[in-house]
Amino acid sequence: MPLRLACPAMGTRFELVLAGQREEHLRAAGEAALEEVRTLHGLWNAFAKDSLVAHLARLAGSGAWTRVDPETFELLELSRSVHAASEGAFHPLLAPLLESLGLRGEAGPDPEAATLDVEGLELDGDRQAVRLARAGMGLDLGGIAKGAALDAAAAILEEEDVRCALLHGGTSTVLALEPPPGRSSWRVVVGSQPGAPVLELARSAMSVSAARARVGTPEAGAHAHVLDPRTGQGVESGRPAAVVRGASAALCDAWSTALVAGAAPALLPNDLDALLQEPDGSWSASAAPTPLCS
Amino acid sequence: MTSPDRRTLLMAGAGTAASLLQPELLAARKPLRAPVRIGLVGVGRQGRAMLAELGKFEEVTVVAYCDTDERRLSSAARRARGAQGHPDAASMLAAHPDIDAVLVATPTHLHRQPCEEALAAGKHVYCEAPLAHSVTDARAIAAAAASSGKVFQTGLQGRANPVYGLARSFVRSGAIRDMVTMRAQTNEKNSWQTPASDPARSKALNWRLDSEVTLGLPGEVGAQQFDVFHWFRGDYPVKVEAEGGVLAWRDGRTVADTVHARLTFKDGAALDWSATLGNSYEGTHEVMMGTMGAVKLAWSHGWLFKEADAPTQGWEVYANRQQFHNDEGITLIAEATKLASQGKLKEGVGLPNRPLWYALDDFFKAVTEGDAVPCSAEEGLRATAVAIKVQESLLAGEPLAITEADLASK
């Protein structure tokens, strides 16, 4: 029987399914992996006042640098690169926009455009330090953090020689190591509708994003789950959902967000492939070197 | 004790509006008067947590670190960019004579040697709690600290926590009146197993489950909580009775994963403490109940629950409240009056930094500005001695007295 472990983090439930010979070792490795997820949650949680993200926001515009852990630094580097590659459809600095829309408590004033300028996310690679250049800036890593946490958790499992595992964060981002004995892959069904795509995962990850509605304050009105950073508006039409598969769960997470936010499929890096849902509910594959689903 | 003027903290009494730090004040935190160069001993779980907090202090540089575990040394090289790794504290101290202060985050039973070596080398020392796994070692550390003339801080974090400082001022000014009973718990679901394929490494990393050296749950989580009550009350228990066993993780371990203890104080009031690794319900918190109210503390948050016949104070009109089933708690909030006048009361709920950050901040201010540390080696010794007594009672299966001599430095 595979061993299942889980913990709440990042507003959802992370779960590990582990298979192997010694349950005691599997449990210890799995707990270490979940501890890493919780640690990263503590650093990246935009809703917690004592998180690293909140600390950086408080110091925004002060000129002060904060030395950060390598996981955070690499995540911020990745966020900047996906922002550039997606031509702005993925954006790591949406906190002031989300606040203005009432998605972080009471609705606030419209953010100044300069607070959304990604150039203001300053990274010093020599010192592994970060600062936000202007007051009012704030990170929101909700479009990439779950994937990055899964990558980190998987790295710990592999360090501890756990080879056969499936990890997911809230079922929307999934990372597979080796498949169960006797199988060629882990099979993941996207959604519950008849004809839903089934993905075959082995040593790969996938993430799905959907533009379903979520609600802010009554004053701010309802907003989509995903914002288009280029307009500041919720994504309500066009592409209801996108699935991205690749080696890195963080990249899959970020690019599925970007595609739902309106990124052109042609911008997708060659080592990722995608399934895009059409407004009528049907799915189409992006141009991809390998077929995405069975 | 933390000096009140270093934080916009204290209140004159229960009849005054609560006053505590708020995020904006922390963001404008006064820089340290001098840079501090750090050597970190132990880069496992707690060492990593320390590195994460140290990155927030611009004036503090980690110049070196050490650990006996090669994998952890390798991991630390990524986390402490620019710092040099060493296999032990002695070689680290020899290679870096310019270190100002040493932070000790080794397993509890390995605190003594690096503490003594660092103090002998003229370094200030912050040592995690409990101070040691034996009274002998704890006394040796306290003696070395006393004779060194250097700053020594025990990492009992409640004493540095602003929410706890505010709650203590309430309690000591009579807000809950006579303390009649106390309880505390640490509940988590975790086997405490650390993965390691090599048996020797596994034994070293799983020291918390090694009955030869561990203080078990009473030491590793209880010591922090017991000391909250010591600090609030100003006294120590005189009797302890503990029981427990392996109820959740029947994997061959002998160290209890579930413990209940009653610590009785001289006035007859008792603290009922429990800890388990088998269930996480309600997590970690401490509660003090008096004839006029109760205080509940959960490290980043705190609440005051008033009895119906407790006098109403004027400031309560501003209070932020939170419902717990049938009870309504008044949230202990930073600068409540000021925030309320700005319509920002809810922004004051919860601490903007981890408890460890406040403990380190106090330590650095003690090192650079001569402030008193919130928890001395002597106080650390007494708290450690209490935790050891709880563990001894658990192992003996019988109640034990705690005498002045048990808590004494000699």
Side-chain angles (χ1 to χ4, degrees):
Chain A
M1 282 286 287
L3 178 68
R4 288 172 178 259
L5 299 174
C7 76
M10 302 187 183
T12 188
R13 175 174 175 269
F14 278 70
E15 184 177 34
L16 316 180
V17 182
L18 312 173
Q21 294 298 317
R22 293 174 45 226
E23 179 175 328
E24 187 181 308
H25 181 71
L26 286 182
R27 180 176 294 283
E31 287 181 348
L34 289 179
E35 185 175 321
E36 182 72 10
V37 170
R38 282 192 292 266
T39 297
L40 298 177
H41 164 76
L43 293 171
W44 301 340
N45 184 1
F47 296 91
K49 194 185 279 185
D50 61 358
S51 70
L52 176 60
V53 162
H55 173 82
L56 292 169
R58 282 195 295 274
L59 293 187
S62 72
W65 290 91
T66 298
R67 299 183 306 279
V68 301
D69 55 285
E71 291 81 7
T72 299
F73 196 82
E74 288 162 14
L75 178 64
L76 296 180
E77 285 185 315
L78 189 64
S79 296
R80 281 187 54 142
S81 79
V82 178
H83 173 79
S86 67
E87 299 182 343
F90 174 82
H91 202 305
L93 290 166
L94 291 182
L97 185 59
L98 294 168
E99 284 166 15
S100 75
L101 295 171
L103 295 168
R104 296 284 171 76
E106 293 177 15
D110 289 343
E112 294 179 20
T115 63
L116 301 175
D117 180 359
V118 169
E119 292 304 311
L121 169 56
E122 298 181 344
L123 305 177
D124 177 346
D126 291 336
R127 298 172 59 215
Q128 204 164 272
V130 181
R131 70 179 176 187
L132 301 176
R134 283 171 284 282
M137 292 180 74
L139 288 158
D140 179 82
L141 301 170
I144 191 170
K146 284 206 304 280
L150 289 177
D151 287 332
I156 286 176
L157 293 176
E158 293 199 289
E159 271 181 29
E160 301 303 336
D161 287 328
V162 175
R163 301 294 172 199
C164 176
L166 185 79
L167 305 75
H168 73 83
T171 71
S172 61
T173 305
V174 183
L175 189 154
L177 298 180
E178 297 293 343
R183 300 284 184 88
S184 61
S185 65
W186 296 87
R187 291 168 60 83
V188 179
V189 182
V190 180
S192 55
Q193 301 296 321
V198 179
L199 274 66
E200 306 277 347
L201 295 182
R203 305 207 65 77
S204 58
M206 60 144 283
S207 187
V208 57
S209 287
R212 62 182 179 275
R214 65 178 175 181
V215 178
T217 62
E219 297 78 21
H223 295 281
H225 182 64
V226 175
L227 290 174
D228 183 346
R230 298 163 299 187
T231 64
Q233 302 296 313
V235 176
E236 302 287 1
S237 60
R239 197 170 291 150
V243 182
V244 175
R245 186 178 66 178
S248 153
L251 273 178
C252 293
D253 197 0
W255 274 101
S256 64
T257 306
L259 288 170
V260 169
L267 298 175
L268 200 64
N270 287 336
D271 55 351
L272 301 177
D273 47 19
L275 270 179
L276 307 175
Q277 191 175 35
E278 304 300 330
D280 66 2
S282 64
W283 293 86
S284 64
S286 68
T290 55
L292 177 62
C293 62
S294 58
Chain B
M1 184 183 302
T2 307
S3 64
D5 59 349
R6 286 175 39 216
R7 297 191 180 124
T8 52
L9 173 72
L10 294 176
M11 45 176 287
T16 311
S19 173
L20 194 69
L21 79 172
Q22 58 172 312
E24 291 75 9
L25 294 176
L26 274 180
R29 171 184 159 271
K30 216 169 57 176
L32 298 175
R33 285 189 190 157
V36 183
R37 296 168 62 85
I38 293 294
L40 175 60
V41 183
V43 287
R45 186 184 297 107
Q46 189 60 18
R48 177 178 172 181
M50 280 188 167
L51 284 171
E53 298 308 317
L54 290 171
K56 298 174 185 171
F57 294 90
E58 272 210 299
E59 314 88 349
V60 174
T61 306
V62 179
V63 297
Y65 55 88
C66 64
D67 202 296
T68 53
D69 187 76
E70 284 187 18
R71 270 174 64 173
R72 287 185 164 173
L73 271 181
S74 165
S75 171
R78 295 175 63 227
R79 302 190 179 284
R81 197 68 76 86
Q84 282 186 15
H86 298 271
D88 54 53
S91 59
M92 180 185 81
L93 291 164
H96 301 275
D98 56 345
I99 285 174
D100 300 307
V102 168
L103 311 181
V104 178
T106 58
T108 302
H109 64 288
L110 301 176
H111 283 173
R112 178 177 173 176
Q113 187 171 345
C115 282
E116 289 180 334
E117 288 172 350
L119 291 165
K123 312 302 180 191
H124 307 293
V125 171
Y126 177 101
C127 181
E128 279 298 340
L131 268 188
H133 72 310
S134 70
V135 173
T136 303
D137 276 14
R139 284 178 175 149
I141 292 170
S147 62
S148 70
K150 293 293 172 182
V151 172
F152 186 98
Q153 181 173 329
T154 307
L156 288 164
Q157 296 175 16
R159 295 182 187 238
N161 183 318
V163 163
Y164 283 46
L166 175 63
R168 181 172 180 262
S169 69
F170 270 92
V171 169
R172 291 182 74 90
S173 61
I176 64 169
R177 203 70 60 85
D178 300 319
M179 197 180 294
V180 290
T181 189
M182 297 156 276
R183 61 181 165 83
Q185 69 168 52
T186 292
N187 286 1
E188 56 184 276
K189 189 167 184 183
N190 188 316
S191 73
W192 263 17
Q193 292 277 8
T194 300
S197 43
D198 166 24
R201 185 167 184 263
S202 179
K203 181 172 173 61
L205 297 186
N206 284 297
W207 59 273
R208 289 185 299 181
L209 297 176
D210 183 347
S211 58
E212 292 176 14
V213 297
T214 188
L215 288 178
L217 285 163
E220 294 310 317
V221 300
Q224 291 278 358
Q225 295 190 289
F226 305 150
D227 188 63
V228 171
F229 296 91
H230 306 157
W231 186 47
F232 273 60
R233 293 176 51 93
D235 65 353
Y236 290 83
V238 295
K239 190 177 90 172
V240 58
E241 182 169 13
E243 58 184 8
V246 178
L247 302 178
W249 305 107
R250 301 176 197 277
D251 53 9
R253 72 182 64 194
T254 56
V255 174
D257 59 29
T258 303
V259 179
H260 296 266
R262 169 163 287 189
L263 291 81
T264 307
F265 291 79
K266 194 173 182 179
D267 62 0
L271 161 63
D272 287 317
W273 174 80
S274 67
T276 183
L277 300 177
N279 186 288
S280 64
Y281 180 63
E282 291 192 334
T284 298
H285 64 255
E286 301 88 35
V287 180
M288 296 168 206
M289 287 169 263
T291 53
M292 283 298 168
V295 165
K296 179 176 181 177
L297 300 165
W299 294 88
S300 59
H301 291 71
W303 302 268
L304 171 65
F305 299 84
K306 295 184 64 181
E307 286 295 306
D309 58 346
T312 300
Q313 305 294 337
W315 58 267
E316 289 178 28
V317 70
Y318 297 114
N320 183 73
R321 295 163 193 274
Q322 190 172 339
Q323 197 69 26
F324 293 78
H325 190 46
N326 290 329
D327 298 299
E328 186 179 69
I330 298 174
T331 316
L332 299 175
I333 288 188
E335 294 205 332
T337 311
K338 182 178 171 184
L339 287 172
S341 69
Q342 298 169 347
K344 296 179 176 177
L345 193 57
K346 286 187 177 175
E347 292 181 20
V349 177
L351 280 178
N353 286 295
R354 303 288 172 85
L356 175 59
W357 185 93
Y358 296 101
L360 292 173
D361 188 43
D362 280 343
F363 177 64
F364 297 138
K365 290 207 172 88
V367 167
T368 59
E369 299 172 24
D371 289 5
V373 293
C375 186
S376 67
E378 288 288 326
E379 288 159 332
L381 162 63
R382 287 192 283 273
T384 300
V386 170
I388 289 171
K389 277 289 180 185
V390 177
Q391 176 71 355
E392 287 177 352
S393 171
L394 173 66
L395 295 175
E398 62 183 21
L400 296 174
I402 301 176
T403 66
E404 291 285 339
D406 291 324
L407 307 178
S409 54
K410 290 181 183 172

